[in-house]
Amino acid sequence: MGALTNPSPTSQRWIVRYRGFVLIPQKDLSWMVRPERSPMKLLPFRAPASSVEDVKALIDWRLGQNAD
């Protein structure tokens, strides 16, 4: 499961950690997806505006594509 983390008490920006990735919401409602650490399984990418569950499904799909 992912976890919500608030980077600072005064910040209103939340991030989600999921399967070794950090999902960062953007102002245009899209998501920046970055690996938490190296070695990277996937390069950072931007996901279109969607729910966090959709972004998690996209990560799962991309990880499945790299497993082949």
Side-chain angles (χ1 to χ4, degrees):
M1 283 309 275
L4 294 176
T5 305
N6 190 354
S8 73
T10 59
S11 176
Q12 294 180 354
R13 194 165 180 186
W14 290 85
I15 62 171
V16 178
R17 286 186 166 81
Y18 178 71
R19 295 189 66 185
F21 293 89
V22 179
L23 290 62
I24 307 164
Q26 303 297 297
K27 289 182 181 179
D28 65 357
L29 303 179
S30 66
W31 294 85
M32 175 59 68
V33 180
R34 297 178 183 233
E36 281 190 289
R37 59 184 173 274
S38 289
M40 293 187 287
K41 296 177 185 176
L42 290 174
L43 293 175
F45 65 94
R46 188 176 299 266
S50 57
S51 71
V52 70
E53 294 304 320
D54 289 341
V55 178
K56 289 178 181 181
L58 179 59
I59 291 171
D60 292 339
W61 179 80
R62 287 191 176 199
L63 289 173
Q65 294 294 308
N66 285 346
D68 297 338

